Amino acid sequence: MNRFFHYVYILIKPIICLLFPHRAVGLENIPEGGALLCGNHASAWDPIIIAVCLPNDSRLAFMAKEQLFRIPLLRWIIAKLGAFPVKRGGSDLTAMKTAMKRLNEGGRLIIFPEGTRVDHQGEVEAKGGVTVMAARTGVPMIPIYCGGKHKLFRRTTVVFGEPYYPVIAGRRPTAEENQRSAEEIMDRIYSLSGVDAWK
């Protein structure tokens, strides 16, 4: 167990639950082993809210933009929490290899296939790299809808959907199959938006 994550989780969870009241639905859909936890991304709070919905010992990993790792204290904190850097705007083979290593070791990687914050589905094209990671490691993609822009004290439902495995014809997916599966997981994510656990 990541002891640093464990203690930060204990400290942060009640604060997040107070500021952003939320209920999780579908946690039973998360498998025991590695998984790609694929969410929509409308708010900077998304990874934190998803993380506190899960048990403390969930072996979480996060991709974080490399700019955050240029700040020494922040770099130390987020690295201890399980984050690793990724270059935005292009292919980052080092980040991909790190991600697949974590997945093969049984970790759960929180990732946002749209690659940036968006308000509505279709504003940007989903990134096919998420399919590459799923296909090469054999782990499922779990669609997660975590609401829109999180406002203080507004109730949110975080929905974990059923596992999805990319459909590929050969040993490795083609670029077209990568893109099609990335778009499919986004469709599955946004299809969960109508669930309201507060009713």
Side-chain angles (χ1 to χ4, degrees):
M1 177 185 288
N2 180 336
R3 290 188 179 276
F4 185 79
F5 183 96
H6 174 75
Y7 293 121
V8 171
Y9 180 100
I10 292 172
L11 175 66
I12 292 295
K13 181 165 183 172
I15 298 172
I16 295 299
C17 289
L18 174 65
L19 296 178
F20 303 104
H22 58 274
R23 291 179 179 173
V25 176
L27 289 173
E28 68 277 4
N29 289 318
I30 299 175
E32 288 295 322
L36 278 161
L37 305 181
C38 304
N40 68 303
H41 196 19
S43 167
W45 292 101
D46 292 331
I48 299 172
I49 291 173
I50 291 173
V52 299
C53 284
L54 300 167
N56 195 331
D57 59 349
S58 291
R59 307 183 307 279
L60 294 178
F62 312 82
M63 281 186 176
K65 59 184 180 181
E66 64 173 347
Q67 289 88 340
L68 298 178
F69 285 82
R70 296 173 186 169
I71 306 167
L73 179 58
L74 182 59
R75 177 179 65 223
W76 183 85
I77 292 172
I78 61 178
K80 292 285 282 183
L81 289 173
F84 56 93
V86 60
K87 296 176 183 177
R88 299 178 67 179
S91 178
D92 186 340
L93 293 180
T94 299
M96 290 282 284
K97 289 179 180 178
T98 301
M100 290 190 285
K101 181 175 184 292
R102 301 277 182 95
L103 293 168
N104 283 324
E105 291 172 346
R108 283 85 174 263
L109 176 64
I110 294 178
I111 189 167
F112 303 99
E114 291 162 313
T116 189
R117 277 176 274 173
V118 301
D119 290 328
H120 306 287
Q121 183 179 11
E123 287 184 14
V124 299
E125 192 174 62
K127 306 296 186 289
V130 67
T131 305
V132 175
M133 289 186 280
R136 292 190 181 181
T137 61
V139 304
M141 302 158 78
I142 308 297
I144 305 169
Y145 185 77
C146 50
K149 291 185 181 298
H150 301 292
K151 295 182 180 179
L152 288 175
F153 310 116
R154 187 177 71 179
R155 293 173 174 178
T156 300
T157 299
V158 182
V159 190
F160 295 78
E162 295 182 358
Y164 167 71
Y165 292 87
V167 178
I168 60 175
R171 272 188 66 210
R172 293 194 174 183
T174 64
E176 291 77 14
E177 288 172 329
N178 283 337
Q179 193 57 43
R180 187 163 57 246
S181 290
E183 291 169 0
E184 174 65 21
I185 195 65
M186 292 313 305
D187 286 342
R188 289 172 179 247
I189 289 168
Y190 283 103
S191 73
L192 303 172
S193 63
V195 178
D196 185 353
W198 295 89
K199 290 183 177 178

